[in-house]
Amino acid sequence: MGEKVVAGGIDLSDRQSYRDKLRRCLTGLERLLAERRFDRPKNLMGLEIELNLVGADGLPRMLNGQVLERIASHDFQTELAMFNLEVNIAPHRLSGRVFDRLAEEVRTSLAYAHRKAVEVDAGIVMIGILPTLDRDHLVSSNLSEVDRYTLLNDQIVAARGEDFTLDIDGVEHLVCTSRSIAPEAACTSVQLHLQVTPARFADVWNAAQVASAAQIAVGANSPFLFGRELWRESRPPLFQQSTDTRPPELQAQGVRPRTWFGERWITSAYDLFEENLRYFPALLPICDDEDPLAVLDADGTPALSELVLHNGTVYRWNRPVYGVADGVPHLRVENRVLPAGPTVTDVLANAAFYYGLVRALAEESRPVWTRLPFAAAAENFDAACRHGIEARFRWPRRGRYGGTAEVEATTLVRDELLPLAAAGLDAWGIEPADRDFYLGVIEERCRRRVNGASWQVATFHRALESGLSRDAALAATTRRYCELTRPGDPVHTWPVGLPEAVSLR
């Protein structure tokens, strides 16, 4: 949603014009693909991290405007709510010691931002869902003061026509309503970008879909919402329900949600953009003056602005991205599966696992998605979100017998996926020291059965057992989490529980 959107009235003719323009953009994309106009492969990756602003008491701080003013860097931007920020890391080539270089760059950026946040009695923390958020924090008045967020909220609310219902049944059951999309702001993620050629796009996207369940299982970090212990990774159900434009009647009819895993393996990037037009009405029907087909006829490169904007309002967990750099179009797969945090080392370990695994899966002679039904991949994703490191998956059997079998996520990752990820990183040209260190973090999480979510839950229950109330236990867990992120040791090494100095209150 990086477009400059100006809030204003939208009438019926706007929607009709926008639909016509979207069709022209889709035809333009089809021509670009047929004419092979896209950039050559550059092995480029990109990284975005969404952040929370938190006070010394562990509670959110609605201060992103003040903090951004002090940071004064284009690398940092607003996010949906006033307690959110996002940092964008410049693209890097996937080779050599890239993960170590990225780790140093991210640590430096976050340390600087944290110092600036401290000036207004706040701090910066990476965590999927801040455990201390309550319903009073997630209201429309706490949305960032940016026109595009106001307009997006108004359009989603108008499309739904009634309050949003949050109904997440996990370890505990949460049922509540919201009058705005503000609960979406609770979800803070890491977004991993990979530039690919059109010929490789389908294989990479399919591979990313397959990898998503394993990513969540080892990287879950969002077990709490509004004081309830829910799924180990509660972002996906929360995101889907808080942006759901479908009233119950449309849900019953099988209308697709705007946040979704998908329903089929693809053969081209075109498949996904075409689905966007076929299934999802426009939320932000704002047209520019470009005629994409005329630009193509003149041997130019169209921006396809309407297609890009519409794609930004369909929240796939692996999203196609069309972009133009130096006058040349390119395609990216944007992986939106992972929660933020806990530490920079954890984030880069998750990234190394993803980039290595996707490369290896996409290049297999008999790809996993030819042996795994799409519905099974979706079920694996759901199981990972519910159970995290303890999830069990359906996975293709090895050998000649075929079919699928149930396997523990940790066993699958250690025995099959980590060796694939290592081979994939070798294919990218990653130095063995980087490969072994960051994949070693994933292996240790599996061996100890620990990730951010399991640490939060274990520490929270220790706090309850010590006599703290639920609210105090969540706040103490959050404060302890923030303390342990500062040294930067990966989460599987963290001691469970609170230091003795935490007082009862």
Side-chain angles (χ1 to χ4, degrees):
M1 287 302 302
E3 301 295 320
K4 292 184 178 179
V5 176
V6 178
I10 292 174
D11 59 31
L12 296 179
S13 63
D14 292 327
R15 296 188 180 279
Q16 292 162 350
S17 299
Y18 189 78
R19 184 180 294 111
D20 291 342
K21 190 71 179 291
L22 274 175
R23 289 173 179 149
R24 292 182 69 80
C25 285
L26 188 64
T27 300
L29 176 66
E30 187 174 28
R31 280 182 54 179
L32 284 166
L33 291 167
E35 295 169 11
R36 300 183 178 182
R37 298 272 297 274
F38 284 85
D39 199 3
R40 294 186 298 275
K42 293 181 178 178
N43 295 352
L44 287 179
M45 60 164 288
L47 179 66
E48 302 171 47
I49 308 174
E50 294 169 349
L51 310 164
N52 285 281
L53 292 172
V54 183
D57 55 4
L59 298 177
R61 291 288 187 269
M62 308 296 167
L63 297 169
N64 64 358
Q66 296 178 48
V67 173
L68 283 170
E69 185 177 350
R70 284 165 170 77
I71 293 173
S73 167
H74 293 301
D75 293 341
F76 287 83
Q77 300 175 357
T78 56
E79 255 300 328
L80 184 58
M82 292 182 183
F83 63 89
N84 299 142
L85 299 175
E86 180 176 89
V87 60
N88 297 293
I89 306 301
H92 284 61
R93 191 175 300 278
L94 267 167
S95 63
R97 300 297 298 270
V98 64
F99 296 110
D100 263 357
R101 292 197 305 273
L102 277 166
E104 183 60 30
E105 188 173 333
V106 174
R107 285 190 189 101
T108 300
S109 294
L110 295 186
Y112 172 73
H114 181 72
R115 289 196 299 273
K116 294 301 178 182
V118 168
E119 294 176 6
V120 290
D121 297 322
I124 285 176
V125 64
M126 295 188 294
I127 191 167
I129 295 176
L130 192 63
T132 51
L133 285 170
D134 65 35
R135 294 176 62 185
D136 290 340
H137 295 129
L138 293 168
V139 293
S140 56
S141 59
N142 283 334
L143 294 177
S144 293
E145 296 177 351
V146 178
D147 284 342
R148 69 177 183 269
Y149 297 133
T150 301
L151 183 56
L152 183 64
N153 176 70
D154 291 347
Q155 292 301 302
I156 291 178
V157 169
R160 183 173 176 87
E162 59 187 71
D163 289 352
F164 298 88
T165 299
L166 303 182
D167 186 347
I168 305 174
D169 194 3
V171 177
E172 299 175 299
H173 194 182
L174 172 69
V175 180
C176 63
T177 60
S178 172
R179 301 185 67 84
S180 75
I181 66 169
E184 177 199 333
C187 306
T188 51
S189 67
V190 171
Q191 290 135 44
L192 303 173
H193 290 253
L194 179 61
Q195 183 175 329
V196 295
T197 62
R200 297 296 293 160
F201 185 94
D203 286 345
V204 172
W205 188 86
N206 290 339
Q209 291 286 92
V210 168
S212 294
Q215 288 181 271
I216 288 288
V218 298
N221 197 29
S222 314
F224 299 108
L225 177 66
F226 299 161
R228 304 289 178 86
E229 182 183 344
L230 301 174
W231 295 11
R232 289 303 183 253
E233 186 52 46
S234 302
R235 287 168 42 257
L238 172 59
F239 204 112
Q240 178 174 321
Q241 294 176 23
S242 62
T243 59
D244 200 343
T245 56
R246 307 168 304 161
E249 295 82 3
L250 292 184
Q251 295 180 35
Q253 293 171 34
V255 173
R256 282 84 172 171
R258 296 192 84 95
T259 301
W260 71 328
F261 186 77
E263 61 189 16
R264 62 179 175 133
W265 306 118
I266 66 167
T267 59
S268 166
Y270 180 88
D271 295 350
L272 299 176
F273 288 103
E274 188 275 333
E275 278 186 354
N276 287 354
L277 272 65
R278 181 154 41 101
Y279 294 149
F280 303 108
L283 288 178
L284 301 173
I286 299 167
C287 294
D288 69 11
D289 295 329
E290 178 189 78
D291 181 342
L293 302 184
V295 171
L296 279 169
D297 289 339
D299 292 326
T301 300
L304 305 183
S305 299
E306 293 79 12
L307 193 78
V308 170
L309 181 59
H310 187 53
N311 185 53
T313 65
V314 179
Y315 305 104
R316 299 177 187 273
W317 295 111
N318 288 292
R319 178 190 275 167
V321 177
Y322 170 88
V324 179
D326 299 323
V328 181
H330 65 265
L331 291 171
R332 304 194 303 274
V333 174
E334 180 190 19
N335 178 259
R336 302 159 50 82
V337 167
L338 290 164
T343 67
V344 173
T345 297
D346 288 304
V347 168
L348 270 298
N350 291 339
F353 181 53
Y354 169 75
Y355 286 114
L357 182 57
V358 164
R359 172 74 183 254
L361 290 174
E363 295 184 349
E364 284 190 310
S365 58
R366 191 180 173 209
V368 170
W369 55 91
T370 65
R371 298 174 284 135
L372 185 71
F374 192 93
E379 290 166 6
N380 289 345
F381 180 77
D382 186 74
C385 293
R386 287 179 181 273
H387 305 296
I389 203 82
E390 303 296 335
R392 300 182 67 87
F393 298 154
R394 283 176 61 197
W395 196 256
R397 287 190 180 94
R398 294 181 179 179
R400 60 181 180 175
Y401 297 105
T404 61
E406 189 175 90
V407 60
E408 287 189 343
T410 51
T411 299
L412 177 66
V413 171
R414 292 181 70 184
D415 293 352
E416 189 168 342
L417 301 187
L418 277 173
L420 282 171
L425 292 179
D426 288 343
W428 286 121
I430 301 299
E431 287 287 339
D434 254 26
R435 176 199 67 202
D436 294 345
F437 175 76
Y438 289 104
L439 294 187
V441 171
I442 304 299
E443 183 174 15
E444 281 299 298
R445 286 191 212 152
C446 291
R447 189 177 70 82
R448 303 186 192 196
R449 302 179 87 92
V450 172
N451 57 19
S454 68
W455 182 91
Q456 288 186 55
V457 168
T459 297
F460 168 71
H461 284 286
R462 288 272 187 94
L464 287 180
E465 291 165 6
S466 74
L468 293 179
S469 68
R470 287 182 68 91
D471 287 348
L474 287 168
T477 297
T478 303
R479 293 195 299 271
R480 181 62 171 157
Y481 178 102
C482 293
E483 291 168 6
L484 291 170
T485 61
R486 304 299 175 219
D489 297 325
V491 71
H492 69 264
T493 67
W494 291 4
V496 170
L498 305 174
E500 294 182 3
V502 173
S503 61
L504 298 178
R505 58 173 179 165

